[in-house]
Short mmCIF file of all heavy atoms in Angstrom, two decimals:
data_model
loop_
_atom_site.label_atom_id
_atom_site.label_comp_id
_atom_site.label_asym_id
_atom_site.label_seq_id
_atom_site.Cartn_x
_atom_site.Cartn_y
_atom_site.Cartn_z
N VAL A 315 119.77 96.98 76.05
CA VAL A 315 120.90 96.63 76.91
C VAL A 315 121.99 95.92 76.13
O VAL A 315 121.73 95.20 75.15
CB VAL A 315 120.50 95.74 78.11
CG1 VAL A 315 119.64 96.52 79.09
CG2 VAL A 315 119.79 94.48 77.66
N GLN A 316 123.18 96.11 76.62
CA GLN A 316 124.35 95.45 76.04
C GLN A 316 124.13 93.94 76.01
O GLN A 316 123.74 93.33 77.01
CB GLN A 316 125.56 95.78 76.93
CG GLN A 316 126.88 95.24 76.46
CD GLN A 316 127.44 96.08 75.33
OE1 GLN A 316 127.24 97.29 75.29
NE2 GLN A 316 128.13 95.44 74.42
N GLY A 317 124.35 93.31 74.87
CA GLY A 317 124.26 91.85 74.78
C GLY A 317 122.91 91.32 74.37
O GLY A 317 122.73 90.13 74.20
N ALA A 318 121.91 92.22 74.20
CA ALA A 318 120.56 91.73 73.89
C ALA A 318 120.00 92.30 72.59
O ALA A 318 118.86 92.03 72.23
CB ALA A 318 119.61 92.08 75.04
N LEU A 319 120.80 93.07 71.88
CA LEU A 319 120.25 93.83 70.74
C LEU A 319 119.79 92.95 69.58
O LEU A 319 118.98 93.38 68.76
CB LEU A 319 121.27 94.88 70.27
CG LEU A 319 121.66 95.91 71.34
CD1 LEU A 319 122.59 96.96 70.76
CD2 LEU A 319 120.44 96.57 71.95
N HIS A 320 120.29 91.72 69.53
CA HIS A 320 119.84 90.83 68.44
C HIS A 320 118.37 90.43 68.60
O HIS A 320 117.78 89.85 67.71
CB HIS A 320 120.73 89.58 68.37
CG HIS A 320 120.81 88.83 69.66
ND1 HIS A 320 121.47 89.31 70.76
CD2 HIS A 320 120.30 87.64 70.04
CE1 HIS A 320 121.37 88.44 71.75
NE2 HIS A 320 120.66 87.42 71.34
N PHE A 321 117.77 90.73 69.75
CA PHE A 321 116.34 90.43 69.96
C PHE A 321 115.44 91.59 69.50
O PHE A 321 114.22 91.48 69.55
CB PHE A 321 116.06 90.21 71.45
CG PHE A 321 116.48 88.86 71.97
CD1 PHE A 321 117.46 88.76 72.95
CD2 PHE A 321 115.86 87.70 71.53
CE1 PHE A 321 117.83 87.52 73.47
CE2 PHE A 321 116.22 86.45 72.04
CZ PHE A 321 117.21 86.36 73.01
N GLU A 322 116.05 92.69 69.11
CA GLU A 322 115.27 93.90 68.84
C GLU A 322 114.40 93.79 67.59
O GLU A 322 114.82 93.28 66.56
CB GLU A 322 116.24 95.07 68.70
CG GLU A 322 115.54 96.41 68.66
CD GLU A 322 116.54 97.54 68.88
OE1 GLU A 322 117.63 97.51 68.26
OE2 GLU A 322 116.22 98.45 69.67
N VAL A 323 113.16 94.29 67.70
CA VAL A 323 112.24 94.37 66.56
C VAL A 323 112.01 95.87 66.31
O VAL A 323 111.65 96.59 67.24
CB VAL A 323 110.89 93.68 66.91
CG1 VAL A 323 109.91 93.82 65.76
CG2 VAL A 323 111.12 92.20 67.25
N PRO A 324 112.23 96.34 65.06
CA PRO A 324 112.06 97.78 64.81
C PRO A 324 110.63 98.25 65.10
O PRO A 324 109.67 97.48 64.97
CB PRO A 324 112.36 97.91 63.31
CG PRO A 324 113.05 96.66 62.92
CD PRO A 324 112.64 95.59 63.88
N ASP A 325 110.49 99.52 65.48
CA ASP A 325 109.18 100.06 65.85
C ASP A 325 108.12 99.87 64.77
O ASP A 325 106.97 99.56 65.08
CB ASP A 325 109.29 101.56 66.18
CG ASP A 325 109.76 101.78 67.61
OD1 ASP A 325 110.01 100.78 68.33
OD2 ASP A 325 109.87 102.95 68.02
N ALA A 326 108.49 100.06 63.50
CA ALA A 326 107.49 99.97 62.43
C ALA A 326 106.89 98.56 62.40
O ALA A 326 105.67 98.38 62.26
CB ALA A 326 108.12 100.30 61.08
N GLU A 327 107.74 97.57 62.58
CA GLU A 327 107.27 96.19 62.57
C GLU A 327 106.45 95.89 63.84
O GLU A 327 105.42 95.21 63.79
CB GLU A 327 108.50 95.28 62.54
CG GLU A 327 108.30 93.99 61.81
CD GLU A 327 109.60 93.17 61.82
OE1 GLU A 327 110.69 93.75 61.57
OE2 GLU A 327 109.51 91.96 62.09
N ALA A 328 106.90 96.42 64.96
CA ALA A 328 106.18 96.23 66.22
C ALA A 328 104.78 96.83 66.13
O ALA A 328 103.79 96.22 66.56
CB ALA A 328 106.95 96.88 67.38
N LEU A 329 104.69 98.01 65.51
CA LEU A 329 103.39 98.67 65.37
C LEU A 329 102.47 97.87 64.45
O LEU A 329 101.27 97.77 64.70
CB LEU A 329 103.58 100.07 64.77
CG LEU A 329 103.80 101.18 65.80
CD1 LEU A 329 104.19 102.47 65.09
CD2 LEU A 329 102.52 101.38 66.62
N ALA A 330 103.05 97.29 63.40
CA ALA A 330 102.23 96.49 62.49
C ALA A 330 101.67 95.27 63.24
O ALA A 330 100.50 94.90 63.05
CB ALA A 330 103.06 96.06 61.28
N ILE A 331 102.48 94.67 64.10
CA ILE A 331 102.00 93.53 64.89
C ILE A 331 100.89 93.98 65.84
O ILE A 331 99.84 93.35 65.96
CB ILE A 331 103.18 92.89 65.68
CG1 ILE A 331 104.15 92.22 64.70
CG2 ILE A 331 102.67 91.89 66.71
CD1 ILE A 331 105.47 91.77 65.31
N SER A 332 101.11 95.13 66.47
CA SER A 332 100.13 95.65 67.41
C SER A 332 98.79 95.95 66.70
O SER A 332 97.72 95.63 67.21
CB SER A 332 100.72 96.90 68.06
OG SER A 332 99.85 97.41 69.00
N ARG A 333 98.86 96.53 65.51
CA ARG A 333 97.62 96.81 64.76
C ARG A 333 96.93 95.53 64.36
O ARG A 333 95.71 95.42 64.37
CB ARG A 333 97.92 97.65 63.52
CG ARG A 333 98.45 99.02 63.89
CD ARG A 333 98.12 100.10 62.85
NE ARG A 333 98.66 101.36 63.34
CZ ARG A 333 99.86 101.85 63.00
NH1 ARG A 333 100.63 101.19 62.15
NH2 ARG A 333 100.28 102.99 63.51
#
Side-chain angles (χ1 to χ4, degrees):
V315 291
Q316 183 78 33
L319 300 184
H320 55 290
F321 283 116
E322 190 165 45
V323 177
D325 277 1
E327 212 179 315
L329 270 171
I331 292 170
S332 182
R333 295 209 179 94

